[in-house]
């Protein structure tokens, strides 16, 4: 029964009747059979006449729920990672079918009545909290509406899922590329990048908008036209196809929220978050804007001045000259190299993937007492995927999978996916990190990592630790995936700090060819260099957060999605977008996070404060601080409100001060620096006449990751 000792579960973790090697037809058959059985189980729970208790209602409902959610997350993972398009399509279909079942469950009036009749006076606080959350979710689905309205709400909820998936599928399948006429256009690129991008049979070098191609070009390529052309393709992924899809999604969500008598979708979506109301989110973003605006403009001005050393007549810092949407721009990278002596290309020699991975595992052993062991015979979805078991003091905790090599058809970013949800003594948690760090043409044992990819690796591993250490809740509603979603990024953003910590990097950063450990002085300079550009990076996040909030905090009828994106962006960021950029079409978080993309900023403010006990101890590997963090923040999962977890850990409410100190490190502008919003006011200056976009179409549908559907 849920609540029994986890040791009662048989080891190793099971995938049940849904292993990773099913054909499309067999996945569909097994998925449909499971949903049919769950519908029968739900019907029995809904119409039962005996007095509702924890044992005859809540416990079987939790088992039913975890089986349905496992089907959903299994389909979503297959959708994101499988090599065969037909199997990916089957994964999407079965995941959507599980979503439809879940929407039906939340609107089951008989189940709702039985849950409301529960006598919880003798129940513990965690049980009462779990039942309250389940009832809240049913009310927010519309279970108290009339039968006709419930039918309409169910149809709209299912359409939201369908359209969201279409938006994601277009991003994945409408991949773009640019072609170069020879390796001379790759001046400035790391040797391993050049070696992996040889001319093809047509004599051209093909650069795609996938991250492993795109990010290094923006950071290192000396040819500005190459950066310009590839950024243009990147900023127009899934355009124009996704603009009408986005308008439809905004309309459906507005229809759903107003049908439940909310003002708009933002009001509906933020009701269950820590921040609670759109007005509070707007105030939070405005506060960050006031903090970051002038330091960010000063950083961009310094980038312009560095560009003028190469181009004395330059008056404008173009989007392809410095960081815009993603980490690592060209002239900000130049300044980090020249001002701090940090060349990101040279760092790669000290960061072989396997040493980074093993160093990360050793850090988890020291901080949290975890033992992580490779499972060489585990069934996976691709030969490059590796499985690992996690234990602590000889007690098993769960399993995870690392999928870090890009391939055709695979999810193109970095995220933590649930594989199986942990529940009491019912089953162990399993998770997957799906990332794209390594060059697929290089054997894993020889592959190198960019330092910013190391930071991303640690970020995603922070999600994984949260999932593993909170992975045995008594009730599914209290799992780590059920914490408020504007807190969900705090553990991952906190764990990034160990990738920035010189003492931690020194443990594993070693050149395997020379045996040389990364120099301590280089690590010190790396930390200082990382502070440069931080204000601009987070001001960019303010702009993106405002965009997601503005889309949903309004009546979307007649909305110009491109114009709305540009208006919100220009209100916050000192460098306007060129008119021929359409990033709204590939802003994937508009489906999953919807109105609350501000989550990343809210969570990083919390994360910087959660770090203060470690800083007070003077050591990021202080075991007492780590023990308290694991016990007070990670292990409880969603069994208590996030604010309560923070208060227990810090002994107070979290505040803004630690983030403000950190984000403004190294941002003192040089004398006479221009800090107005006029750093670059031209739209697309210097751009070429655009040819018809070149697209490579790979049917690679994708779902939002790191997301709970309940």
């Amino acid at each position: 029964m849920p609540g029994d000792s986890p040791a009662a579960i048989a080891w190793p973790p099971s995938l049940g009747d849904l292993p990773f090697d099913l054909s499309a037809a067999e996945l569909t058959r097994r998925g449909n059979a499971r949903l049919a059985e769950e519908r029968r189980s739900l019907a029995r729970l809904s119409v039962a006449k005996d007095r509702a208790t924890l044992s005859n209602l809540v416990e079987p409902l939790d088992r039913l729920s975890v089986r349905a959610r496992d089907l959903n997350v299994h389909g979503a993972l297959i959708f994101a990672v499988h090599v065969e398009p037909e199997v990916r399509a089957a994964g999407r279909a079965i995941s959507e079918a599980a979503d439809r079942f879940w929407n039906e469950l939340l609107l089951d009036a008989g189940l709702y009545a039985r849950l409301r009749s529960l006598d919880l006076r003798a129940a513990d606080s965690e049980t009462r909290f779990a039942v309250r959350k389940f009832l809240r979710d049913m009310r927010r689905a519309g279970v108290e509406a009339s039968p006709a309205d419930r039918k309409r709400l169910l149809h709209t909820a299912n359409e939201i899922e369908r359209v969201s998936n279409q938006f994601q599928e277009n991003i994945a399948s409408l991949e773009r590329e640019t072609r170069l006429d020879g390796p001379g256009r790759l001046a400035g690129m790391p040797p391993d990048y050049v070696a992996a991008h040889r001319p093809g049979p047509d004599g051209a070098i093909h650069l795609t908008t996938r991250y492993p191609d795109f990010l290094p070009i923006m950071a290192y390529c000396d040819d500005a036209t190459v950066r310009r052309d590839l950024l243009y393709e990147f900023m127009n992924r899934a355009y124009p196809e996704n603009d009408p899809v986005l308008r439809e999604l905004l309309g459906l969500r507005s229809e759903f929220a107003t049908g439940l008598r909310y003002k708009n979708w933002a009001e509906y979506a933020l009701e269950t978050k820590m921040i609670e109301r759109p007005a509070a989110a707007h105030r939070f973003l405005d506060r960050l804007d006031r903090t970051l605006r002038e330091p960010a403009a000063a950083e961009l001005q310094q980038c312009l001045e560095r560009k003028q050393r190469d181009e004395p007549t330059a008056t404008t810092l173009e989007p392809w000259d410095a960081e815009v949407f993603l980490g690592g721009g060209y002239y900000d990278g130049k300044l980090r190299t020249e001002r701090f002596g940090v060349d990101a290309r040279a760092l790669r020699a000290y960061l072989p993937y396997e040493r980074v991975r093993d160093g990360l595992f050793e850090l988890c052993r020291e901080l949290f007492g975890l033992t992580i062991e490779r499972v060489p015979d585990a069934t996976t979805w691709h030969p490059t995927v590796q499985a690992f078991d996690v234990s602590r003091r000889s007690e098993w905790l769960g399993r995870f999978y690392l999928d870090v090599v890009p391939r055709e058809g695979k999810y193109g970013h970095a995220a933590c996916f649930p594989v199986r949800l942990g529940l009491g003594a019912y089953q162990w948690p399993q998770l997957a990190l799906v990332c794209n760090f390594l060059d697929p043409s290089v054997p894993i044992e020889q592959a190198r990592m960019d330092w910013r990819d190391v930071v991303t690796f640690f970020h995603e591993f922070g999600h994984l630790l949260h999932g593993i250490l909170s992975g045995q809740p008594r009730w599914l509603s209290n799992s780590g995936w059920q914490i408020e979603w504007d807190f969900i990024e705090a553990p991952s953003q906190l764990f990034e700090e160990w990738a920035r910590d010189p003492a931690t990097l020194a443990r594993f950063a070693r050149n395997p060819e020379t045996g040389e450990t990364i120099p301590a002085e280089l690590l010190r300079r790396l930390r200082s260099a990382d502070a440069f550009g931080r204000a601009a990076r987070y001001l960019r996040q303010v702009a993106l957060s405002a965009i997601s909030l503005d889309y949903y905090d309004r009546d979307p009828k007649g909305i110009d999605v491109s114009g709305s994106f540009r208006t919100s962006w220009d209100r916050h960021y000192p460098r306007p977008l060129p008119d021929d950029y359409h990033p709204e079409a590939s802003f994937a978080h508009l489906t999953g996070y919807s109105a609350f993309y501000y989550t990343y900023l809210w969570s990083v403010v919390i994360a910087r404060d959660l770090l203060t006990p470690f800083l007070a101890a003077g050591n990021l590997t202080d075991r007492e601080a780590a023990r308290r963090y694991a016990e007070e923040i990670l292990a409880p999962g969603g069994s208590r409100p996030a604010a309560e977890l923070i208060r227990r850990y810090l002994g107070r409410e979290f505040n803004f001060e630690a983030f403000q100190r950190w984000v403004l490190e190294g941002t003192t502008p040089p004398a006479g620096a221009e800090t107005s919003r006029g750093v670059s006011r031209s739209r697309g200056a210097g751009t070429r006449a655009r040819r018809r976009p070149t697209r490579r179409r790979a049917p690679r549908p994708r779902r939002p990751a790191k997301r709970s559907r309940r």
Side-chain angles (χ1 to χ4, degrees):
M1 294 175 60
D4 293 347
S5 168
I9 316 175
W11 189 268
S14 172
L15 295 170
D17 63 345
L18 294 172
F20 296 127
D21 55 358
L22 297 179
S23 67
E26 186 62 15
L27 174 60
T28 301
R29 188 190 70 78
R30 294 189 186 190
N32 288 336
R34 176 177 293 193
L35 287 176
E37 177 57 35
E38 302 314 334
R39 282 192 167 88
R40 289 190 289 270
S41 299
L42 176 60
R44 289 192 293 269
L45 289 177
S46 177
V47 302
K49 301 301 182 184
D50 51 342
R51 184 176 66 88
T53 66
L54 295 180
S55 61
N56 70 14
L57 178 59
V58 180
E59 288 174 2
L61 177 61
D62 247 25
R63 298 287 180 90
L64 180 159
S65 298
V66 80
R67 291 191 298 268
R69 301 321 292 167
D70 280 351
L71 181 61
N72 173 263
V73 300
H74 182 88
L77 180 66
I78 294 299
F79 187 16
V81 301
H82 206 278
V83 295
E84 297 179 17
E86 297 81 4
V87 180
R88 291 198 299 271
R92 170 182 171 173
I94 205 64
S95 185
E96 288 183 355
D99 274 326
R100 291 193 294 271
F101 169 78
W102 191 254
N103 292 335
E104 294 166 15
L105 183 152
L106 292 176
L107 288 168
D108 190 308
L111 179 66
Y112 182 65
R114 293 198 72 210
L115 281 170
R116 290 190 66 190
S117 73
L118 282 166
D119 183 354
L120 297 175
R121 287 175 294 182
D124 59 63
S125 60
E126 290 188 12
T127 298
R128 292 195 300 272
F129 187 56
V131 174
R132 284 200 305 270
K133 285 200 290 184
F134 206 104
L135 288 168
R136 176 204 68 189
D137 291 347
M138 295 187 79
R139 286 193 298 271
R140 283 169 48 80
V143 72
E144 293 180 342
S146 68
D149 285 344
R150 288 202 303 273
K151 183 177 180 180
R152 176 179 52 79
L153 288 165
L154 176 61
H155 173 76
T156 304
N158 291 338
E159 282 295 286
I160 288 171
E161 299 297 335
R162 180 189 64 79
V163 174
S164 294
N165 284 332
Q166 187 60 54
F167 189 83
Q168 297 291 339
E169 183 174 354
N170 285 346
I171 295 172
S173 63
L174 299 175
E175 183 179 277
R176 293 181 177 228
E177 69 169 33
T178 189
R179 297 180 177 89
L180 309 184
D181 55 13
R185 305 287 302 282
L186 293 177
M189 299 304 296
D192 59 331
Y193 186 97
V194 176
H197 292 80
R198 300 296 187 190
D202 60 354
I205 295 172
H206 295 254
L207 300 178
T208 73
T209 51
R210 286 179 288 185
Y211 280 3
D213 279 1
F214 170 75
L215 292 177
I217 288 291
M218 301 313 298
Y220 309 127
C221 187
D222 292 335
D223 190 329
T225 61
V226 174
R227 300 196 309 269
R228 179 196 67 190
D229 293 350
L230 191 57
L231 182 61
Y232 171 80
E233 303 297 348
F234 185 86
M235 287 294 191
N236 286 291
R237 292 168 298 151
Y239 176 82
E241 291 85 351
N242 257 352
D243 274 21
V245 179
L246 178 56
R247 286 194 295 272
E248 184 178 8
L249 178 63
L250 297 176
L252 286 167
R253 281 179 160 160
S254 176
E255 177 185 335
F256 185 87
T258 55
L260 290 170
R261 299 185 180 179
Y262 291 86
K263 181 180 178 181
N264 52 46
W265 177 265
E267 185 177 76
Y268 172 82
L270 270 58
E271 181 184 49
T272 56
K273 310 304 180 289
M274 292 182 72
I275 214 163
E276 294 184 342
R277 295 178 301 279
H282 284 295
R283 288 195 298 271
F284 171 68
L285 295 177
D286 287 344
R287 178 178 183 179
L288 285 171
D289 184 292
R290 292 192 300 272
T291 299
L292 299 171
R293 180 187 298 254
E294 289 195 3
E299 290 170 343
L300 295 173
Q301 178 65 23
Q302 292 173 62
C303 290
L304 174 58
E305 291 169 358
R306 175 60 186 84
K307 178 182 178 180
Q308 288 169 337
R309 287 165 48 191
D310 293 342
E311 302 177 33
T313 61
T315 59
T316 300
L317 189 69
E318 301 290 0
W320 51 88
D321 289 332
E323 183 176 351
V324 180
F325 270 39
L326 298 163
Y330 183 73
Y331 281 110
D332 37 321
K334 289 279 190 184
L335 286 171
R336 290 186 186 99
T337 299
E338 296 165 0
R339 187 176 295 175
F340 302 101
V342 175
D343 185 343
R345 290 167 294 190
L347 281 173
R348 293 167 63 95
Y350 298 100
L351 298 172
Y353 165 72
E354 290 192 330
R355 287 195 63 86
V356 173
R357 181 200 63 197
D358 293 347
L360 174 54
F361 292 174
E362 175 61 21
L363 176 66
C364 292
R365 184 199 63 77
E366 182 171 352
L367 288 174
F368 308 117
L370 303 181
T371 298
I372 300 175
E373 298 176 301
R374 174 84 184 275
V375 187
D377 57 348
T379 300
T380 65
W381 53 89
H382 192 269
T384 61
V385 178
Q386 298 176 337
F388 299 86
D389 285 342
V390 185
S391 61
R392 182 173 53 198
R393 296 186 294 275
S394 301
E395 294 184 0
W396 298 110
L397 297 177
R399 174 171 289 182
F400 67 87
Y401 304 83
L402 295 182
D403 184 351
V404 298
V405 182
R407 60 182 175 271
E408 192 71 24
K410 179 186 168 185
Y411 174 82
H413 305 279
C416 181
F417 285 73
V419 176
R420 294 292 182 272
L421 304 179
L423 179 64
Y426 185 64
Q427 68 179 23
W428 302 97
Q430 299 184 61
L431 302 103
L433 293 194
V434 180
C435 310
N436 292 276
F437 298 142
L438 310 183
D439 190 322
S441 67
V442 178
I444 285 181
E445 60 272 14
Q446 300 174 18
R448 300 294 199 272
M449 295 185 71
D450 187 271
W451 178 68
R452 289 195 178 276
D453 283 341
V454 174
V455 175
T456 299
F457 194 10
F458 275 63
H459 174 100
E460 299 304 339
F461 213 85
H463 283 300
L464 189 147
L465 286 171
H466 195 191
I468 291 288
L469 294 179
S470 67
Q472 289 296 325
R474 183 179 182 190
W475 310 110
L476 184 60
S477 291
N478 288 346
S479 75
W481 295 90
Q482 304 300 333
I483 197 76
E484 293 99 316
W485 271 81
D486 48 3
F487 177 80
I488 201 71
E489 295 291 339
S492 55
Q493 297 198 89
L494 173 65
F495 207 64
E496 289 180 18
E497 190 62 18
W498 278 267
R500 299 187 182 98
D501 177 47
T504 301
L505 282 171
R507 298 178 179 205
F508 57 77
R510 182 187 300 271
N511 188 330
E513 296 175 1
T514 65
E516 179 189 10
T517 300
I518 190 169
E521 176 61 19
L522 177 57
L523 289 173
R524 186 193 65 78
R525 295 198 306 268
L526 175 63
R527 190 174 184 90
S528 298
D530 183 54
F532 176 73
R534 195 176 285 158
R537 285 200 297 276
Y538 281 100
L539 188 61
R540 179 194 68 209
Q541 290 294 97
V542 170
L544 292 172
S545 300
I547 287 161
S548 88
L549 187 58
D550 291 345
Y551 270 141
Y552 287 106
D553 192 20
R554 57 170 291 173
D555 179 351
K557 186 176 181 179
I559 188 172
D560 173 2
V561 291
S562 182
S564 179
F565 188 107
R566 198 175 311 282
T567 297
S568 298
W569 174 273
D570 290 354
R571 187 171 72 248
H572 290 285
Y573 202 71
R575 190 169 45 182
L577 290 174
D579 287 330
D580 54 0
Y581 284 6
H582 297 278
E584 75 282 350
S586 56
F587 190 4
H589 285 295
L590 292 174
T591 62
Y593 281 90
S594 69
F596 47 97
Y597 186 74
Y598 75 85
T599 288
Y600 284 93
L601 290 166
W602 181 262
S603 289
V604 78
V605 169
I606 294 171
R608 297 311 305 182
D609 213 2
L610 295 180
L611 189 65
T612 53
F614 289 94
L615 298 179
N619 183 0
L620 287 189
T621 55
D622 182 82
R623 294 189 179 184
E624 176 59 19
R627 181 194 63 79
R628 290 191 56 249
Y629 171 69
E631 292 180 358
E632 300 288 355
I633 298 294
L634 299 181
S639 62
R640 294 190 291 273
E644 183 179 333
L645 301 182
I646 296 166
R647 282 194 299 270
R648 291 190 181 200
Y649 175 65
L650 293 177
R652 56 172 172 78
E653 306 288 342
F654 76 92
N655 62 49
F656 197 81
E657 295 171 4
F659 171 79
Q660 184 161 316
R661 288 194 301 270
W662 174 75
V663 81
L664 296 181
E665 285 179 1
T667 60
T668 303
E674 174 61 57
T675 58
S676 74
R677 289 175 59 82
V679 172
S680 168
R681 299 306 296 177
S682 68
R683 296 190 184 276
T687 57
R688 58 184 167 89
R690 299 298 181 190
R691 59 179 170 81
R692 183 175 178 82
T694 301
R695 297 190 179 97
R696 294 178 61 196
R697 295 180 179 267
R700 178 165 52 96
R702 175 166 73 83
R703 292 180 61 84
K706 298 188 294 190
R707 178 184 176 196
S708 167
R709 306 296 296 234
R710 179 141 134 208

